Amino acid sequence: ELKVEQNPLFLSMQEGKNYTIYCNYSTTSDRLYWYRQDPGKSLESLFVLLSNGAVKQEGRLMASLDTKARLSTLHITAAVHDLSATYFCAVDPTRYNAGNMLTFGGGTRLMVKP
Amino acid sequence: EPEVTQTPSHQVTQMGQEVILRCVPISNHLYFYWYRQILGQKVEFLVSFYNNEISEKSEIFDDQFSVERPDGSNFTLKIRSTKLEDSAMYFCASSVSAQPQHFGDGTRLSIL
């Protein structure tokens, strides 16, 4: 059974600071996604990481994937209040088929304080 | 930008009743999914659907659950006899191949 673990589960940080959220998973996969969820809202796709060594950046967020270590990171640079949300990583364990189930991590609730 | 739409946004149902949650996926997408999220918990996969049949389902998706694509646009999730523990937010999603799954705004299902 695929397990996806995120840490930390809760992160309170000051504006302007940097931090990294970690996502570990237990089986071979080279498809990993990061989503953002605001309270009571849907999941917004942030990054798609489809190969070992993939790095994607959007604004103050940067995501990377190390398939050998089964680890993805979401790095936050100079955090601002608008980044406050819950961030989920999700792994698709199937290598060759498309359109399969995502297994989500437990989420990291990020709170950025002014 | 095209989006996945779900109705209703909130459904309140008595335990034991049948409920149907509706979704309109993005029009050129071929893969459809249902997930649920119990309040404060992580998102859990229920079922995926491709080419008019279920491609994968989780242990949660037991005989009480069914999915259907009754026409070219709608994708429905039916729960035949609801239980208290079915109370959750249900998300529909759709995708094209290995691209990210796009999620709807969800239906909050409350079982009394």
Side-chain angles (χ1 to χ4, degrees):
Chain A
E1 180 191 343
L2 171 60
K3 289 189 181 353
V4 181
E5 293 186 353
Q6 284 180 241
N7 70 84
L9 297 181
F10 181 74
L11 177 57
S12 177
M13 56 192 297
Q14 295 289 331
E15 277 192 331
K17 297 292 187 184
N18 305 333
Y19 208 84
T20 300
I21 299 170
Y22 297 89
C23 174
N24 291 91
Y25 54 97
S26 62
T27 195
T28 302
S29 173
D30 51 9
R31 289 210 288 250
L32 190 139
Y33 306 87
W34 283 94
Y35 287 88
R36 168 183 171 144
Q37 186 180 37
D38 291 294
K41 301 292 186 183
S42 185
L43 294 125
E44 175 192 354
S45 175
L46 294 175
F47 298 109
V48 179
L49 302 168
L50 298 177
S51 61
N52 187 38
V55 177
K56 298 275 183 77
Q57 181 159 7
E58 180 75 33
R60 300 174 188 274
L61 301 177
M62 183 173 71
S64 66
L65 177 62
D66 180 342
T67 58
K68 291 179 182 162
R70 299 178 186 172
L71 171 69
S72 179
T73 60
L74 180 67
H75 187 73
I76 303 154
T77 301
V80 293
H81 179 68
D82 285 352
L83 290 179
S84 298
T86 299
Y87 293 85
F88 291 96
C89 65
V91 176
D92 179 350
T94 308
R95 269 192 158 168
Y96 303 111
N97 297 331
N100 291 295
M101 59 180 283
L102 292 181
T103 299
F104 281 79
T108 296
R109 187 175 167 206
L110 172 66
M111 188 176 296
V112 182
K113 298 179 179 178
Chain B
E1 185 177 329
E3 55 183 33
V4 176
T5 57
Q6 290 185 243
T7 55
S9 56
H10 190 194
Q11 174 82 45
V12 182
T13 302
Q14 292 287 334
M15 187 172 58
Q17 295 296 305
E18 175 183 286
V19 66
I20 297 176
L21 309 182
R22 302 181 192 280
C23 170
V24 179
I26 295 173
S27 61
N28 64 331
H29 286 188
L30 302 175
Y31 299 87
F32 315 115
Y33 314 83
W34 284 100
Y35 292 82
R36 79 172 186 191
Q37 185 179 31
I38 295 171
L39 185 63
Q41 298 187 23
K42 68 178 180 180
V43 179
E44 299 173 290
F45 170 80
L46 293 178
V47 65
S48 61
F49 192 86
Y50 171 71
N51 201 25
N52 285 319
E53 60 182 25
I54 291 173
S55 48
E56 281 198 75
K57 60 182 182 179
S58 71
E59 292 177 354
I60 303 168
F61 194 87
D62 62 21
D63 292 344
Q64 293 299 315
F65 291 86
S66 62
V67 289
E68 196 176 37
R69 188 157 162 81
D71 53 43
S73 59
N74 291 286
F75 179 52
T76 62
L77 174 70
K78 179 161 69 176
I79 310 174
R80 289 190 185 82
S81 178
T82 51
K83 303 188 279 284
L84 292 176
E85 53 264 38
D86 293 328
S87 295
M89 184 74 94
Y90 288 80
F91 291 106
C92 173
S94 67
S95 72
V96 177
S97 186
Q99 294 305 306
Q101 296 174 23
H102 294 261
F103 285 77
D105 286 342
T107 293
R108 181 170 299 283
L109 178 62
S110 301
I111 308 300
L112 304 179

